[in-house]
Amino acid sequence: MKLKRISEYIWEIPKQGDMNVSAVVYSSSSLIESVQKDLTLEQTRNMACLPGIQRAAYAMPDAHQGYGFPIGGVAAFDMENGVISPGGVGYDINCGVRLLRTDFFEKDIKKHKKALLDEMFARVPTGVGRGGSVHLSSKEIKQVCIRGAQWAVEKGFGREGDLERTEEGGCIKPANPENLSPRALSRGSGQLGSLGSGNHFLEIQKVVTIYDRNIAGAFGIHSEGQILVMIHCGSRGLGHQVASDYIRLMENEIGTGGLPDRQLINAPLKSKLGREYFESMNAAVNFAFANRQMIAHRVKEAFQTITGTPEGMEQVYDVCHNVAKFENHKIKGREAKLCVHRKGATRSFGPGHAEIPEVYRHVGQPVFIPGSMGTSSYVLAGTQKSEQLSFSSTAHGAGRVMSRRQALRSFRGEKIKRELEIKGVDLRAKGWRCVAEEASQVYKDVDEVVKISDSLGIGKRVIKVDPIAVIKG
Amino acid sequence: MKVKYRFLNHTADAKFQAYGHSLEEAFQNAAEATANLMWSTKKVKPRIKKKINITGKDREQLLVMFLEEILFLLDSDDFLVRSVKDLSIRKEKADYALEACFLGDKISDESEIFGSVKAVTYNDMIIEENDHYLVQVVVDV
């Protein structure tokens, strides 16, 4: 495929054939090779062929091959001719990241670290199957789907103040659980409050570098060595089932003819089925907000039990990175309401945006980019420039470069655990295999991903953190 | 068939091919491959039976729905699939119907589970008939 380099960090697939707009890839000399090796470019081009797509189809710096859209794909559609696609959101609806700050320093918790890790591991269910911390009736699950993190706060998981520091206030609207299948509700009923498995994790981190003290300060992060807690998970089986159900419903109603990839199935935004998917997806978004709200509460309890005080432990923010949302963006100088799909991409609203909580409005929305197991993660701030470059979006993680199968052949879980311990990172996991599959070497260099975001100006680098203790889902 | 299935490389997800003398056998082996991405089927006892009936509009959709059943039984009922018995596929007017019986057991403290599959995708899916049947599937993990 013809790929034109526009500048140091921007590549373009010019509009051709069935494409309605061009495709733009944000990458660098060292990362572009891995993007060219798999189907990332073809999938980015396919996004550009969908009806009603505006401006361009974008691939974020951590983009890699997905199904339908690439992971790291961003596309916005107009209300009149545009579509909504479950494959443009992903199966793990509202997979996202929540960050907690504390007043502790590494030296304060050093002697408690192992006990703290054990306590968190005992309190936060991980792994596959039901395993949630509460068991809910269908009626109650529907309430979770309507009210999201608010539901969790009312049930005693966390505080009111957490909600304003969550994307959409932890409760996106309109959410309608009435169109969720019994199977989706059944998969969700035993999983609320659990981390799941795969690339999901819970991490105690220490601040290692602060690039912008003013913005970091606004996020409540003031010093190197300060302890943070990061939670990465999503909507569990409920969200996966919503995606699978609507892919099938759309196939049966609309048919799969003419699509370059069956996973690109979509419905017009104006259609009944399109609206139903949107409202069902939002129900799963709320389930995930409630899920992270409950996990965060369990983390605070673990700190309380082991250190005697959770003092200073506060939510910085909670971001979704698999979602489709209606937002206003400028198209040819005019404000337009668009449906922005972010599949493995983080919203990155710049300073002044009304959707950012007041406490952060002067510095931009907090953005979290988790690295891989045992490597650094980053806190960024949204920028105004991202509006023009990526519909206010940036990367969401490191992005895989090696298959799980190859990882299993190359690494051994036990050995990785020992290597991490030498680096001062303690690890708890249900099995060794998932540890090997998630070895840091299978991911792109997160430092490079963040450098591209910062240099382009789609997300400003603010803080770098390193893990000191990890729970693998 | 000597080889029931084999795993292929895929950057982010898991990909496999399953084989069979019949479409039924290939589907059955695809189920074993999917389960073996999450646990060792050999270590699961065939204590409990679960009957399933599925209708899909084409063979691809039928395969997705069939494999999805394994994920559904795990999430909703803590059920681990060991093997598939009595699988039959019938063409019914415009649709395909599948009947099968899963054998397996509930998760226990001894169950060794090494990963999860989130969903079954159509990405790169192949259902092919030459001198034998071949199905290829990518699952989201």
Side-chain angles (χ1 to χ4, degrees):
Chain A
M1 197 171 308
K2 201 179 144 206
L3 191 63
K4 207 167 97 190
R5 190 167 190 169
I6 305 290
S7 66
E8 195 178 357
Y9 298 111
I10 305 177
W11 278 258
E12 186 197 49
I13 305 167
K15 187 181 155 190
Q16 56 196 289
D18 295 338
M19 293 167 77
N20 293 317
V21 290
S22 64
V24 173
V25 179
Y26 296 130
S27 195
S28 67
S29 302
S30 64
L31 290 186
I32 194 74
E33 202 184 315
S34 72
V35 173
Q36 285 173 300
K37 257 196 281 186
D38 59 21
L39 293 176
T40 312
L41 294 178
E42 200 176 314
Q43 292 180 341
T44 308
R45 191 198 71 94
N46 286 345
M47 292 196 292
C49 301
L50 292 173
I53 185 165
Q54 297 297 304
R55 211 191 285 159
Y58 296 104
M60 296 297 107
D62 53 337
H64 60 90
Q65 176 179 335
Y67 26 85
F69 284 31
I71 314 293
V74 173
F77 299 88
D78 78 43
M79 301 295 295
E80 205 49 42
N81 308 305
V83 294
I84 187 162
S85 171
V89 171
Y91 285 100
D92 198 0
I93 295 168
N94 190 6
C95 185
V97 184
R98 180 173 291 217
L99 186 72
L100 313 176
R101 55 136 357 247
T102 75
D103 281 332
F104 293 112
F105 279 82
E106 195 185 9
K107 57 178 174 27
D108 303 327
I109 66 155
K110 207 163 192 173
K111 62 176 190 290
H112 299 305
K113 199 170 76 170
K114 284 207 164 83
L116 202 47
L117 195 58
D118 288 335
E119 189 68 24
M120 293 199 317
F121 197 54
R123 284 178 187 267
V124 180
T126 62
V128 306
R130 295 178 13 160
S133 54
V134 288
H135 205 87
L136 302 176
S137 66
S138 281
K139 201 175 148 199
E140 198 73 356
I141 284 278
K142 287 181 182 174
Q143 282 302 309
V144 175
C145 289
I146 294 169
R147 309 218 335 271
Q150 274 178 9
W151 177 91
V153 169
E154 278 162 33
K155 296 283 171 190
F157 298 94
R159 296 184 312 214
E160 198 69 32
D162 300 339
L163 300 176
E164 58 177 328
R165 293 169 183 235
T166 303
E167 205 169 306
E168 303 292 336
C171 172
I172 199 167
K173 288 177 180 136
N176 183 0
E178 295 307 325
N179 290 318
L180 261 52
S181 66
R183 292 167 73 85
L185 294 170
S186 167
R187 281 179 79 172
S189 69
Q191 293 190 325
L192 192 64
S194 67
L195 199 62
S197 69
N199 59 355
H200 295 153
F201 66 77
L202 178 54
E203 212 168 72
I204 305 178
Q205 307 169 330
K206 63 171 179 196
V207 175
V208 288
T209 312
I210 299 179
Y211 302 95
D212 187 314
R213 291 199 178 269
N214 176 38
I215 302 178
F219 294 164
I221 297 162
H222 306 283
S223 325
E224 285 80 359
Q226 195 174 340
I227 295 297
L228 311 177
V229 178
M230 189 177 271
I231 301 161
H232 175 215
C233 64
S235 51
R236 309 286 280 107
L238 182 136
H240 310 163
Q241 191 65 43
V242 168
S244 294
D245 286 343
Y246 276 89
I247 287 171
R248 188 148 49 242
L249 287 168
M250 288 181 188
E251 278 185 351
N252 293 352
E253 190 168 314
I254 296 161
T256 50
L259 286 175
D261 172 351
R262 200 160 164 171
Q263 289 291 140
L264 278 173
I265 188 80
N266 56 75
L269 280 164
K270 283 166 86 178
S271 68
K272 183 167 175 276
L273 189 54
R275 272 201 311 277
E276 278 174 11
Y277 168 66
F278 180 65
E279 291 175 6
S280 300
M281 177 201 68
N282 281 345
V285 167
N286 285 337
F287 184 89
F289 280 140
N291 197 31
R292 290 196 289 274
Q293 182 69 34
M294 289 169 73
I295 292 172
H297 182 67
R298 296 287 184 224
V299 167
K300 285 182 193 167
E301 284 179 345
F303 268 78
Q304 168 87 54
T305 304
I306 300 300
T307 65
T309 163
E311 223 161 306
M313 212 168 182
E314 240 182 283
Q315 184 159 322
V316 178
Y317 202 56
D318 178 304
V319 293
C320 349
H321 54 226
N322 277 4
V323 76
K325 283 189 187 189
F326 289 107
E327 292 171 5
N328 289 325
H329 289 277
K330 273 207 176 108
I331 297 294
K332 291 178 186 144
R334 273 205 206 147
E335 191 100 330
K337 191 177 172 192
L338 304 177
C339 181
V340 183
H341 290 57
R342 295 191 181 90
K343 182 186 186 181
T346 314
R347 195 184 72 180
S348 178
F349 281 151
H353 199 289
E355 288 285 315
I356 306 176
E358 233 176 281
V359 281
Y360 303 140
R361 204 166 292 156
H362 59 300
V363 291
Q365 175 212 307
V367 169
F368 310 130
I369 301 193
S372 47
M373 188 175 60
T375 66
S376 309
S377 295
Y378 286 87
V379 177
L380 287 75
T383 63
Q384 282 161 351
K385 203 176 165 192
S386 69
E387 210 287 318
Q388 272 312 305
L389 286 176
S390 56
F391 290 115
S392 304
S393 314
T394 187
H396 85 304
R400 279 189 93 91
V401 287
M402 189 192 287
S403 76
R404 284 163 212 269
R405 190 176 147 68
Q406 208 176 331
L408 286 178
R409 279 199 301 257
S410 313
F411 311 113
R412 291 194 49 78
E414 295 94 325
K415 191 164 170 244
I416 287 169
K417 183 174 192 264
R418 277 199 303 277
E419 283 168 5
L420 284 173
E421 272 166 7
I422 293 166
K423 279 167 66 183
V425 185
D426 287 307
L427 176 73
R428 294 283 180 284
K430 279 254 167 88
W432 293 120
R433 187 158 150 173
C434 73
V435 173
E437 286 181 349
E438 294 295 319
S440 60
Q441 293 91 331
V442 311
Y443 283 94
K444 283 179 193 170
D445 179 0
V446 70
D447 300 332
E448 181 73 7
V449 167
V450 171
K451 191 180 110 192
I452 299 167
S453 170
D454 187 66
S455 305
L456 271 167
I458 55 173
K460 184 177 166 48
R461 187 170 57 184
V462 179
I463 299 154
K464 180 179 181 170
V465 302
D466 275 350
I468 60 169
V470 185
I471 290 174
K472 271 304 302 155
Chain B
M1 284 286 132
K2 250 191 177 165
V3 181
K4 290 176 158 186
Y5 57 84
R6 85 192 158 90
F7 292 109
L8 308 169
N9 279 327
H10 189 286
T11 322
D13 297 312
K15 185 173 180 176
F16 61 80
Q17 287 185 345
Y19 315 98
H21 293 294
S22 60
L23 186 63
E24 282 84 353
E25 193 183 347
F27 269 47
Q28 217 160 299
N29 290 336
E32 272 195 41
T34 305
N36 275 296
L37 281 166
M38 298 180 275
W39 54 82
S40 171
T41 51
K42 277 188 225 148
K43 291 188 182 165
V44 178
K45 295 199 173 78
R47 260 199 257 257
I48 304 169
K49 271 188 187 173
K50 298 260 183 192
K51 276 201 157 173
I52 56 155
N53 282 293
I54 295 165
T55 314
K57 72 181 197 100
D58 53 28
R59 296 189 303 182
E60 284 77 11
Q61 196 182 65
L62 196 69
L63 180 57
V64 166
M65 291 173 80
F66 169 56
L67 299 179
E68 209 178 272
E69 204 67 31
I70 301 171
L71 317 182
F72 174 70
L73 290 171
L74 171 68
D75 280 354
S76 61
D77 206 21
D78 277 346
F79 181 79
L80 305 179
V81 168
R82 174 193 165 90
S83 59
V84 188
K85 290 265 173 302
D86 308 326
L87 192 150
S88 69
I89 297 171
R90 286 189 322 277
K91 179 107 174 64
E92 278 181 349
K93 289 181 195 153
D95 294 329
Y96 285 84
L98 180 151
E99 265 183 38
C101 180
F102 284 119
L103 289 178
D105 201 359
K106 291 254 183 184
I107 291 185
S108 71
D109 290 342
E110 288 96 68
S111 310
E112 196 192 317
I113 294 168
F114 32 74
S116 75
V117 171
K118 285 179 193 159
V120 184
T121 79
Y122 288 108
N123 204 237
D124 245 347
M125 180 174 275
I126 299 172
I127 299 182
E128 211 174 70
E129 181 190 353
N130 286 317
D131 50 337
H132 65 276
Y133 281 83
L134 176 157
V135 303
Q136 178 174 291
V137 183
V138 175
V139 296
D140 185 21
V141 292

